[in-house]
Amino acid sequence: MLASLLLTFALPAVAPQETPRDPVGRVVVYRFDTVESMEGETLSNVTMLVRDGVIERMGQAVVIPAHAEVHDYRGSGKVAMPPFALSHANFLVSDRRGNGRNTRFTAVDSMWLEEDWSEDLLKEGVLLVGVDPPGSGLPGRTSVLMVEEQTGAPDSLISDLHLKVMVSTSSSAKRLVRDGFKAADKAMVDEDKARAEWKKAREEWEAKQKEEAEAKKKEAEGSEGKEGGDKGKGKGKGAAAQDDGGDKKEDKGPPEEFEVPKIDPNVEPIVEWLRQERVGQVWLSSASDWLHWQDLLRERELPYEIVLRHGSTQNLFEVIDAIAATELRIDVPARVSFLPYTRVRANLPAELAAQGVTKLILSPSTDSMSGVQNYRLSVSQVVAEGLDRQVALRGMTLEPALSMGQEEVIGALKIGAPATFVIWNGDPLDPMSEADFVLSEGKVVYDRVKAEAEDQS
């Protein structure tokens, strides 16, 4: 009996083993024949498990939880891929500012959105847009918007991003940029001079304060010695001295922190660019524009991207090797153009890629809503003429998102990424295909069937 009790107390209590639980959260599963993940080659027979707006699992062998909502699109020809991002949706800007140094303005300052702007873009698979300030020369700074329901003066995702610089061969255009550089250089010199003067004044004042403190200390020590040998004498004189000291005004000296001199609002963004605190976007339309930009740039090392904007004819092939050698991000229209005074076709995007340009953005061939509607057709023609398909798709999605600093909004479709993608009812580069759904972090923000029904009602 005793042995039995001892055995009972000696054995620790064994906790009941808990059954492993599945992760909680809303689970939606999508099954596709084709996914353009932007992580390499096109994927086939893909199951994508989305939990609370994030891709949790993705591949050909994915266990589907019993409680999941399943959308099986296998055999339908539907394709999933990241949404499009437009670097320059300037048809959304209503102002018509002229030439000049207007860098104090941002693009969102000039915007007023129509009621149906977001649905028009979502219908084309566009979820993110950049807009430029209107005007030429140094017109201001770019802004970024999510494509969502809002009208009137919009709320921007980023109101102040790139500094827009338009370069041309005219002497007035060159002078405008050169004068902007000179004004920024002068502002920086003036600030350095003011900082040096403040530092000198501060050091002199602190040295003076130190000397006065040491003098007071010695005086106090001498007074104590005299009072010790002359007790009771000079008490009234000491009190009078204390009264005199109380009437003395305090010397405040220079401020403890340097106060930066105010800079002209039209110069400050240029100063930030020269200090490499912001990125510029340099717009060029011809080979001579590139040469003039090099003359303006000289020995400066500035962070910038190149935006090529040309018509149906272009001579940029003459400087394409120099442009490619910069290893910068290059934004180019999705257009097969012609060499000057010929009918010889030139595929500038494909030539840039062949020259080693990896950060290539493809923009619609025209800056208009009709250009967006013909975007996939334009890109398909560039691909048919030699541009790699994956480079083209990346140039419509990831690269413009990276340019706008929104790689977390539009990125490659992979495990751990937001479930942000478009479901096309066919090949995305087939102009006859349509966007059936646009999802942002797992939420359906565009449903084609629903949108068409609302339009008809």
Side-chain angles (χ1 to χ4, degrees):
M1 181 70 175
L2 181 59
S4 173
L5 287 172
L6 288 173
L7 182 61
T8 302
F9 285 108
L11 292 175
V14 178
Q17 187 172 2
E18 294 185 2
T19 304
R21 297 181 180 179
D22 290 334
V24 297
R26 182 171 181 267
V27 176
V28 183
V29 173
Y30 300 90
R31 308 193 76 177
F32 301 103
D33 289 327
T34 307
V35 172
E36 298 286 4
S37 69
M38 303 294 109
E39 277 280 278
E41 297 298 322
T42 301
L43 304 179
S44 301
N45 188 23
V46 178
T47 298
M48 183 189 300
L49 189 152
V50 176
R51 188 185 302 275
D52 292 337
V54 177
I55 301 174
E56 185 177 279
R57 302 173 200 165
M58 183 172 165
Q60 294 183 347
V62 174
V63 177
I64 301 175
H67 64 282
E69 176 186 331
V70 180
H71 300 273
D72 194 343
Y73 297 124
R74 291 175 299 176
S76 66
K78 294 187 189 296
V79 179
M81 67 171 287
F84 296 145
L86 302 182
S87 299
H88 312 281
N90 297 340
F91 52 89
L92 297 174
V93 178
S94 55
D95 198 358
R96 292 293 178 267
R97 194 177 302 120
N99 184 56
R101 189 199 300 168
N102 295 300
T103 57
R104 67 187 183 279
F105 294 115
T106 61
V108 75
D109 295 332
S110 302
M111 295 190 67
W112 192 267
L113 298 176
E114 301 293 338
E115 185 176 355
D116 55 353
W117 79 280
S118 59
E119 184 174 320
D120 288 345
L121 288 170
L122 289 170
K123 182 179 179 180
E124 303 302 326
V126 179
L127 187 63
L128 188 70
V129 295
V131 286
D132 301 312
S136 56
L138 295 168
R141 292 108 68 196
T142 66
S143 304
V144 180
L145 279 69
M146 282 288 289
V147 180
E148 55 190 5
E149 289 188 17
Q150 51 177 323
T151 56
D155 293 326
S156 56
L157 189 61
I158 298 178
S159 62
D160 179 4
L161 189 58
H162 300 109
L163 176 64
K164 184 176 180 181
V165 182
M166 303 190 72
V167 177
S168 72
T169 55
S170 70
S171 58
S172 60
K174 287 184 65 177
R175 190 185 314 112
L176 185 67
V177 177
R178 185 179 287 113
D179 289 348
F181 282 159
K182 288 181 179 178
D185 287 335
K186 183 179 184 303
M188 289 189 291
V189 169
D190 289 346
E191 181 178 326
D192 290 342
K193 183 179 178 181
R195 188 185 300 275
E197 290 175 351
W198 166 83
K199 185 177 180 181
K200 180 181 178 182
R202 186 71 193 175
E203 289 173 350
E204 290 176 349
W205 184 81
E206 289 176 353
K208 180 182 176 183
Q209 293 297 106
K210 186 177 179 181
E211 289 177 3
E212 290 179 355
E214 289 177 353
K216 286 180 180 179
K217 183 179 178 182
K218 289 180 180 179
E219 183 180 351
E221 290 173 352
S223 298
E224 287 176 4
K226 187 175 181 181
E227 287 177 3
D230 241 354
K231 286 186 180 181
K233 294 182 180 179
K235 186 174 180 181
K237 186 185 290 186
Q242 188 174 1
D243 293 340
D244 291 342
D247 294 336
K248 186 178 179 181
K249 292 183 179 179
E250 184 182 355
D251 184 8
K252 292 183 178 180
E256 293 186 8
E257 299 293 333
F258 175 64
E259 297 176 357
V260 180
K262 289 185 178 180
I263 301 177
D264 183 340
N266 280 326
V267 175
E268 188 172 6
I270 307 174
V271 169
E272 295 168 349
W273 188 28
L274 297 188
R275 288 176 171 166
Q276 303 195 6
E277 296 171 356
R278 71 162 63 244
V279 176
Q281 280 189 342
V282 177
W283 288 55
L284 312 167
S285 61
S286 66
S288 56
D289 290 349
W290 169 254
L291 298 178
H292 281 281
W293 167 241
Q294 292 303 297
D295 180 54
L296 288 167
L297 188 60
R298 298 194 177 256
E299 302 301 321
R300 297 182 189 272
E301 294 184 2
L302 300 178
Y304 68 97
E305 300 176 357
I306 299 172
V307 180
L308 301 179
R309 286 296 179 265
H310 53 82
S312 58
T313 300
Q314 53 86 14
N315 65 352
L316 287 161
F317 68 94
E318 296 179 356
V319 293
I320 194 171
D321 54 344
I323 292 176
T326 63
E327 300 183 355
L328 298 173
R329 180 169 283 110
I330 300 175
D331 187 317
V332 63
R335 180 191 296 122
V336 177
S337 50
F338 297 91
L339 302 186
Y341 310 110
T342 74
R343 299 310 295 169
V344 178
R345 294 164 69 85
N347 189 339
L348 188 58
E351 291 183 22
L352 286 166
Q355 288 281 346
V357 175
T358 57
K359 294 179 283 190
L360 186 67
I361 296 174
L362 288 180
S363 290
S365 58
T366 61
D367 182 21
S368 62
M369 193 60 216
S370 62
V372 178
Q373 292 166 344
N374 293 321
Y375 188 28
R376 291 178 294 125
L377 173 60
S378 301
V379 174
S380 67
Q381 292 172 341
V382 173
V383 170
E385 293 284 340
L387 181 63
D388 180 80
R389 176 187 171 89
Q390 289 299 316
V391 172
L393 292 177
R394 184 179 176 89
M396 304 169 79
T397 56
L398 271 60
E399 287 302 329
L402 284 164
S403 170
M404 292 183 274
Q406 301 304 310
E407 59 272 21
E408 294 183 359
V409 175
I410 295 181
L413 301 181
K414 58 184 179 180
I415 295 173
T420 300
F421 53 90
V422 181
I423 300 176
W424 298 92
N425 62 11
D427 181 353
L429 292 186
D430 182 347
M432 299 303 293
S433 298
E434 295 178 296
D436 279 348
F437 301 97
V438 179
L439 287 84
S440 177
E441 296 184 346
K443 179 184 176 182
V444 176
V445 294
Y446 175 77
D447 181 330
R448 181 172 61 86
V449 173
K450 183 179 178 181
E452 289 177 352
E454 290 176 352
D455 289 342
Q456 293 174 0
S457 61

